[in-house]
Amino acid sequence: MKVLVIGAHGSVGKILVKKLQESQNHFPIAMVRKKDQLEAFKEQGVETVLADLEGSISDISQAAKDADAIAFTAGSGGSTGADKTMFVDLDGTVKAVEAAKDAGIDRFVIVSALGSQQWLEDPHPDWLDQLGPYYPAKFYADQWLKNSGLDYTIVRPGLLSDDEAEGKVKLAKTLVESGKITRSDVAQIIIDSLDNDDTRKKEFDVISGDTPIKEALKELEQ
């Protein structure tokens, strides 16, 4: 399977590209928006395409034309303003979903944010209001994906860390507690989701826990 990694130069994206490159079943296509990023991936022997989530749907579709699946790991980051949150996390997701449809790609795995599915609940958890437009952007982006007809998997990780991979998680459609998870484990969850057809049309919160990743995905609510 060729997997277009959107956000390949990001913290999760870089790990995912490396894991895909080392795997025996999948091949990464790194989508980046800067030429220096493109050259860096090419030097690593990674197939790379240049496209921008703030560009056109047709540009993204062209970048995806050789892919079998899309892994969306892009995000505006904590240091940007509300405009970038809306243009990348919301509008960028919508464009990527529409580009997938245009390119004939059915499989779409996205990294969202723990608890974002609770945005419209009244009342919802107080902490969803602490990051401005971030959680509503994630919520509505995920809703667009869910209504797209694509075979989606929505991964909603807790607070991301750069610690060594643990390989064990706790996941559920909605977790009552928050927690951390390593970026490496999130990347592995994406790969294992691609390998597991039972994760199609599924969404879940996930943090570090006691259950091996593959086993936890098998136990997802049907």
Side-chain angles (χ1 to χ4, degrees), residues 43-57:
E43 288 176 5
Q44 298 172 33
V46 176
E47 184 177 347
T48 312
V49 291
L50 196 65
D52 194 334
L53 288 174
E54 295 185 56
S56 68
I57 293 172

Side-chain angles (χ1 to χ4, degrees), residues 132-144:
Y134 179 75
Y135 281 103
K138 291 296 188 184
F139 172 81
Y140 289 110
D142 292 348
Q143 289 299 116
W144 189 276

Side-chain angles (χ1 to χ4, degrees), residues 1 68-71 97 100-101 104-110 144-154 193-194 196-203:
M1 182 184 292
D68 304 301
I70 289 177
V97 169
K101 291 158 68 174
I105 297 169
D106 192 46
R107 194 72 174 98
F108 199 109
V109 181
I110 190 170
W144 189 276
L145 174 57
K146 288 166 67 174
N147 292 325
S148 67
L150 299 181
D151 272 335
Y152 63 83
T153 303
I154 300 172
S193 293
L194 289 169
N196 183 349
D197 285 343
D198 289 337
T199 65
R200 293 172 184 259
K201 302 284 175 64
K202 297 289 175 62
E203 55 182 307

Side-chain angles (χ1 to χ4, degrees), residues 201-221:
K201 302 284 175 64
K202 297 289 175 62
E203 55 182 307
F204 51 88
D205 290 343
V206 61
I207 57 177
S208 293
D210 300 319
T211 306
I213 291 171
K214 287 185 178 180
E215 183 179 331
L217 291 174
K218 288 180 181 177
E219 294 174 356
L220 273 172
E221 296 177 19

Side-chain angles (χ1 to χ4, degrees), residues 59-131:
D59 285 346
I60 302 170
S61 179
Q62 179 64 23
K65 64 183 176 65
D66 294 327
D68 304 301
I70 289 177
F72 190 101
T73 67
S76 57
S79 61
T80 58
D83 56 341
K84 286 295 183 183
T85 300
M86 301 307 289
F87 285 135
V88 175
D89 297 83
L90 177 52
D91 191 57
T93 300
V94 171
K95 287 177 178 175
V97 169
E98 294 307 302
K101 291 158 68 174
D102 287 351
I105 297 169
D106 192 46
R107 194 72 174 98
F108 199 109
V109 181
I110 190 170
V111 177
S112 184
L114 186 143
S116 58
Q117 76 280 11
Q118 301 176 73
W119 177 251
L120 288 186
E121 292 182 8
D122 187 15
H124 60 227
D126 292 343
W127 48 268
L128 292 180
D129 297 313
Q130 295 175 5
L131 291 177

